[in-house]
Amino acid sequence: MIPGFTSTLPDPSGLMFSFVGKANMKANFLNAANFTTDTVEKNYPALAPESAATYDREARWAATRAVLTEVAEQVPYVPLFTRQNVYTMASGLTYLRSPSFYDKVSGTWIDLVRSSK
């Protein structure tokens, strides 16, 4: 079980690289399912932080789609549940808009707080 894991970036391959591939099939790495396929290995360099910058945007997106398709077809990870979190604010405060999950995780929610008085 990998609880409470998320990314603060809206990049679909932002953390995906760590959950797939031979490079992450070791103790204390996130590929807990030991998942890889030929398609994953072929596309992995376009997702991995150490090499992704050498690929253009279209190539990274194609690699992301290929790996996500493999994950969707093979289902190496099954989401069982997501914890619900409750946040409270003192009276006299409000949000400009409802904070997103990413706002809460990254701490940018504080930029949305305003006085309601």
Side-chain angles (χ1 to χ4, degrees), residues 52-114:
T54 63
Y55 294 83
D56 66 20
R57 183 177 179 179
E58 290 78 22
R60 286 195 70 227
W61 178 229
T64 299
R65 284 193 324 264
V67 172
L68 284 175
T69 299
E70 284 291 287
V71 169
E73 291 173 355
Q74 303 282 333
V75 194
Y77 297 97
V78 178
L80 300 176
F81 65 91
T82 299
R83 288 190 211 129
Q84 291 195 0
N85 296 304
V86 176
Y87 298 88
T88 61
M89 292 176 57
S91 64
L93 296 175
T94 189
Y95 286 118
L96 289 173
R97 63 168 171 77
S98 294
S100 70
F101 177 77
Y102 295 108
D103 292 324
K104 294 172 187 170
V105 170
S106 68
T108 58
W109 63 270
I110 195 70
D111 296 328
L112 303 172
V113 176
R114 297 294 185 270

